[in-house]
Amino acid sequence: MTLTLIGKLLRDVRLALIAVALLLGAFQCLWAKITERILSRLAPFFNALAGMAGLAPRDVESAVFEGPGKVFRTIIGGDSVQLEGAMDLLSIGYVHPLMQTVFCIWAVGRAAGAIAGEIDRGTMELLLAQPLARSRLILAHFCLDLIAIPILCLSLWAGNWVGAWLITPIKVEQPTFKQPLGKPAYLIDVGIIRLRLETPADRGIKRVAESSERRLEKQLRIEPMRFGRALVLVAGLMFAISGYTMWLSAAGRSRWRVLGIAVFITLIQFLVNLLGQMWDTAEPLRPLTVFYYYQPQQLILGGDWNVTQREWNRGEPLLRLPMPVVLFGVGLIGHAMALWTLTRRDLPAPL
């Protein structure tokens, strides 16, 4: 009976699942093309201007993201993201507000209708009239998450592979600037400025150029395999949001009321995590949100799986918590509380 119910739930969500999967994969391909545009045209131009002014590219980034620009900088991952690297830019596709919105819409929308939706439509009595325990109903929805969430994660990863195939290799267009008569001409190459004099370049300049070319090659290298680690956090975020929404659904009777409460709770967590990265006053509240434990860029760019709770210890590491453990733990607790609530409540008669 449980397998039959799982099949019925899969049929109910199949169209939405296909649409969301295609959207996630298509966005990663689109973001790959945006990354190619930035790295091939915009980044060399700004690097050239920085070199002509005697500044480092990081100095230009700091000036651009001053003031109101800090909000955008925070959204794309903060100071840890280097806008000159292909992997850094591609990793923004996992924390982009649109992607996080899609994750939340799927998790909240599906879980809100799991129990409260059946009660609201008046179909819960018909469902439980079958030889089906209430615990099996929660188990079926739990299994649906175990099937649907990996499909969505793999669609993201497939988008990364297709996007990398579309833009590789990235060709940098070298901007040139005309100089006044009598001045040496400047040739912008791989993020540095080299003087092109009438006399042959010396060996030191050649070594600098070769070193810069190797650095550029490393910056433009795309490794889609590294995105696989971040899929664990994507799955964990959706599972965590689905878990506490399932609990609300098991306690409610109106799908729209449950949906509204779950969206409000999720939105508050997102804003608290975002504002906590910009304002020191709100920073200690970040570890209380599930979005604090969703840091896929840290994994994509070679970091570890842990957060250190610095916000509670004046910037010093307090304790190391594995992000997947927290996210999946929240989801499991939410499903367990949904089971406990549903098996002990009275179901209202349909109106």
Side-chain angles (χ1 to χ4, degrees):
M1 190 65 185
T2 304
L3 293 177
T4 302
L5 180 57
I6 294 173
K8 181 260 184 188
L9 295 176
L10 280 174
R11 289 192 298 272
D12 291 343
V13 303
R14 67 184 185 278
L15 295 180
L17 180 62
I18 293 172
V20 173
L22 291 176
L23 175 62
L24 294 177
F27 182 84
Q28 296 305 311
C29 294
L30 174 62
W31 192 257
K33 295 298 293 183
I34 294 174
T35 297
E36 179 191 28
R37 178 81 173 188
I38 293 174
L39 292 176
S40 63
R41 296 188 179 182
L42 297 182
F45 179 77
F46 284 109
N47 289 343
L49 294 180
M52 295 180 67
L55 301 174
R58 294 289 290 179
D59 296 331
V60 176
E61 290 181 20
S62 300
V64 170
F65 293 113
E66 279 291 328
K70 189 176 180 180
V71 177
F72 178 75
R73 182 72 180 189
T74 302
I75 290 176
I76 66 174
D79 295 332
S80 61
V81 177
Q82 306 290 332
L83 298 183
E84 299 175 344
M87 290 298 294
D88 295 71
L89 285 175
L90 288 173
S91 70
I92 298 175
Y94 275 54
V95 297
H96 193 283
L98 177 59
M99 287 291 93
Q100 296 191 57
T101 299
V102 173
F103 299 155
C104 295
I105 288 176
W106 169 265
V108 170
R110 199 208 65 77
I115 308 299
E118 298 284 357
I119 297 175
D120 201 13
R121 291 191 298 268
T123 57
M124 181 61 78
E125 284 191 344
L126 296 176
L127 184 61
L128 295 182
Q130 307 300 319
L132 179 70
R134 296 185 183 186
S135 59
R136 293 296 183 91
L137 181 59
I138 298 295
L139 176 61
H141 284 285
F142 177 79
C143 292
L144 180 60
D145 277 344
L146 297 183
I147 296 172
I149 291 178
I151 292 175
L152 297 179
C153 292
L154 291 176
S155 70
L156 270 177
W157 204 11
N160 295 134
W161 284 94
V162 175
W165 174 75
L166 289 174
I167 67 174
T168 303
I170 299 176
K171 298 180 180 179
V172 177
E173 299 182 7
Q174 301 175 4
T176 57
F177 298 89
K178 293 183 179 179
Q179 301 296 326
L181 294 176
K183 300 290 184 179
Y186 286 92
L187 172 65
I188 310 307
D189 186 14
V190 295
I192 65 170
I193 293 184
R194 293 185 297 171
L195 285 175
R196 189 174 61 193
L197 305 175
E198 297 299 329
T199 59
D202 59 20
R203 294 181 180 178
I205 293 179
K206 289 183 178 179
R207 286 196 297 268
V208 170
E210 291 172 358
S211 175
S212 182
E213 289 172 0
R214 288 194 296 269
R215 184 172 66 252
L216 177 66
E217 183 180 354
K218 182 178 180 181
Q219 290 175 347
L220 299 183
R221 185 181 302 125
I222 299 177
E223 303 175 48
M225 186 64 67
R226 287 165 56 183
F227 289 93
R229 303 178 69 203
L231 299 180
V232 178
L233 294 187
V234 174
L237 178 64
M238 287 192 283
F239 186 67
I241 296 174
S242 176
Y244 65 70
T245 305
M246 185 72 69
W247 183 15
L248 294 173
S249 183
R253 62 169 297 171
S254 171
R255 180 179 185 271
W256 294 108
R257 183 177 300 174
V258 171
L259 189 64
I261 295 173
V263 168
F264 177 76
I265 293 174
T266 305
L267 180 60
I268 289 296
Q269 291 184 87
F270 177 80
L271 292 177
V272 167
N273 183 63
L274 178 64
L275 296 177
Q277 297 177 68
M278 297 185 291
W279 295 341
D280 294 338
T281 305
E283 193 174 25
L285 298 177
R286 290 185 61 208
L288 301 178
T289 70
V290 295
F291 292 97
Y292 173 74
Y293 303 95
Y294 177 68
Q295 300 183 26
Q297 290 173 300
Q298 179 173 313
L299 300 181
I300 294 172
L301 302 179
D304 59 21
W305 296 86
N306 304 304
V307 290
T308 56
Q309 308 292 326
R310 296 174 182 268
E311 295 77 10
W312 289 349
N313 197 31
R314 299 179 181 180
E316 297 295 329
L318 179 61
L319 55 94
R320 297 173 64 85
L321 284 178
M323 292 180 285
V325 171
V326 176
L327 293 175
F328 284 104
V330 171
L332 288 173
I333 292 173
H335 282 84
M337 293 303 298
L339 175 62
W340 183 85
T341 301
L342 184 62
T343 55
R344 284 164 175 76
R345 65 170 294 190
D346 292 327
L347 297 179
L351 298 177

